[in-house]
Amino acid sequence: MQTDSLSDRILKGERRALARAITLAESNRADHRAQASDLLARLAGSGRQALRIGLSGTPGVGKSTFIESFGMMLTGQGLRVAVLAVDPSSARSGGSILGDKTRMERLSREKNAFIRPSPSQSHLGGVARRTREAIALCEAAGYDVVLIETVGVGQSETVVSELSDLFLLLLAPAGGDELQGVKRGIMEMADIILINKADGDLKATATRTCADYAGALRLLRKRPQDPEGFPKAMTVSAVEEQGLEQAWHEMQFLTRWRRDNGIWEANRAAQARYWFDQEVRHALLARLDTPQAKAEMERLNAEVSAGRLNPARAAEKLLGTLS
Ligand SMILES: Nc1nc2c(ncn2[C@@H]2O[C@H](COP(=O)(O)OP(=O)(O)OP(=O)(O)O)[C@@H](O)[C@H]2O)c(=O)[nH]1
Ligand SMILES: [Mg+2]
């Protein structure tokens, strides 16, 4: 496959070309990765930018249902929407493809939508790089909004928030005034907290849960990236398609404010630096993973355990052998 014809087709917004390119980026084959890298370099000048929205929430909270309803609303407004997933537990990968395709049945038939299931990779680092490349490819293909979904299991939120312009946290209505054990660190990442399932019997509870979170958000330290009133908590119903327009309105308001105040650009620049740093670390660790390095490590290990070499000297020697 010629990368120049593939890049032309991506720029024209052809979904099959985009899917093919993402497959190249996700491949473990060196020649595929080289093609992907070439392709990304060619597409870098497209100048297209999407709004990247990260979405996290525990299993069953309604992420897929929300993406379907929200995505349909956006395509209904003439926007092109791409959906990517970051799934840290490759155990789920096989099932999540089918599960999400069926849950997002309407959206997956929409011609202005592109849905890509998560790559089945065991390292979060690997998943992050591939998702980053997939986002860049979707942008070049002219998608207006890229939704990046992740299951809330800790580390993956950090990855997603480092890949997005806006970070949404989806929560379920909770009984009583307990705050569902949502980790403070995750709450601090959220730009908008959406209490989903605000419908039927759950509506009143959802309203109360929303008030609790609004209160909790006000107690957090003010962030420089927020205008007055943010981060905020709102109720939505993905099933009944309630509150989605309002949520979108808030997202656009926040985005505009951040763009006007130079925060959008500064955030993307900081993210680029973050990923550069991660790539360097990743590549350095990969050098320890070669047969030669492992053999040398083993040899030095024996020296260290026999007390013939101290750990610091041994480390120095090992690092000296890496090229
Ligand atoms: N009442 C109500 N139920 C909802 C709503 N959104 C989702 N659900 C239900 O909650 C269940 C889980 O929804 P999903 O969209 O699959 O949740 P998810 O967060 O994608 O779950 P995982 O993919 O397993 O992490 C389904 O039975 C949905 O029908 C809502 O707005 N209201
Ligand atoms: Mg789901």
Side-chain angles (χ1 to χ4, degrees):
M1 170 86 59
Q2 290 297 306
T3 47
D4 51 350
S5 84
L6 197 53
S7 87
D8 286 345
R9 289 171 54 209
I10 291 170
L11 289 170
K12 284 191 205 126
E14 277 184 40
R15 281 188 296 189
R16 281 185 53 197
L18 175 60
R20 170 78 190 129
I22 295 177
T23 302
L24 289 175
E26 287 174 355
S27 173
N28 285 321
R29 275 177 49 180
D31 57 331
H32 287 169
R33 308 250 339 115
Q35 277 179 289
S37 163
D38 183 37
L39 198 52
L40 284 161
R42 278 171 198 275
L43 294 168
S46 81
R48 291 175 174 168
Q49 268 189 342
L51 174 61
R52 306 169 180 175
I53 304 176
L55 175 75
S56 175
T58 48
V61 72
K63 295 180 295 299
S64 303
T65 313
F66 175 82
I67 289 173
E68 159 108 336
S69 301
F70 187 67
M72 287 302 291
M73 182 198 77
L74 296 178
T75 56
Q77 297 182 6
L79 295 169
R80 300 183 68 218
V81 178
V83 180
L84 306 171
V86 173
D87 189 350
S89 58
S90 54
R92 225 181 62 116
S93 57
S96 79
I97 300 171
L98 270 172
D100 281 349
K101 281 272 175 180
T102 48
R103 282 231 167 92
M104 299 184 198
E105 207 182 328
R106 285 183 300 149
L107 193 61
S108 58
R109 282 199 307 262
E110 190 60 42
K111 76 168 174 19
N112 279 333
F114 174 83
I115 300 177
R116 181 76 179 189
S118 50
S120 48
Q121 281 287 311
S122 46
H123 306 292
L124 203 49
V127 174
R129 177 191 292 141
R130 282 140 216 235
T131 306
R132 215 160 67 232
E133 293 177 345
I135 293 171
L137 291 165
C138 290
E139 283 193 326
Y143 284 88
D144 301 294
V145 176
V146 179
L147 285 160
I148 310 137
E149 177 197 344
T150 191
V151 184
V153 290
Q155 260 267 284
S156 64
E157 280 96 344
T158 311
V159 170
V160 171
S161 80
E162 290 289 352
L163 291 171
S164 37
D165 304 310
L166 293 180
F167 188 73
L168 310 180
L169 182 60
L170 210 58
L171 296 172
D177 55 5
E178 93 233 45
L179 292 189
Q180 297 175 47
V182 174
K183 292 199 191 69
R184 191 192 166 94
I186 291 166
M187 256 184 68
E188 284 172 346
M189 282 181 218
D191 294 310
I192 300 177
I193 289 183
L194 298 171
I195 315 297
N196 190 33
K197 309 194 182 183
D199 49 49
D201 291 348
L202 290 169
K203 190 160 187 170
T205 315
T207 306
R208 228 176 309 121
T209 308
C210 183
D212 290 341
Y213 276 102
L217 286 173
R218 276 193 294 273
L219 297 178
L220 295 178
R221 191 162 43 87
K222 176 117 183 75
R223 308 181 306 178
Q225 68 267 40
D226 293 325
E228 198 52 43
F230 282 87
K232 68 171 53 181
M234 317 174 60
T235 58
V236 291
S237 166
V239 163
E240 294 192 349
E241 306 186 2
Q242 295 292 318
L244 304 180
E245 299 264 2
Q246 186 58 23
W248 176 230
H249 178 83
E250 298 293 350
M251 288 179 225
Q252 287 176 293
F253 172 82
L254 182 57
T255 302
R256 214 158 26 237
W257 188 87
R258 286 184 178 166
R259 274 190 180 278
D260 291 347
N261 287 277
I263 287 162
W264 165 288
E265 289 298 330
N267 183 48
R268 286 215 173 178
Q271 288 177 341
R273 289 193 300 274
Y274 173 87
W275 291 115
F276 168 57
D277 180 88
Q278 293 290 309
E279 288 289 330
V280 170
R281 284 165 200 275
H282 188 85
L284 278 177
L285 285 176
R287 289 188 183 179
L288 285 176
D289 231 14
T290 64
Q292 299 92 309
K294 282 179 180 165
E296 184 63 3
M297 192 108 124
E298 205 144 298
R299 197 184 65 75
L300 289 164
N301 249 330
E303 300 279 297
V304 170
S305 43
R308 286 193 293 271
L309 197 59
N310 77 50
R313 276 294 281 158
E316 246 174 64
K317 273 181 185 268
L318 179 77
L319 292 174
T321 67
L322 299 180
S323 57

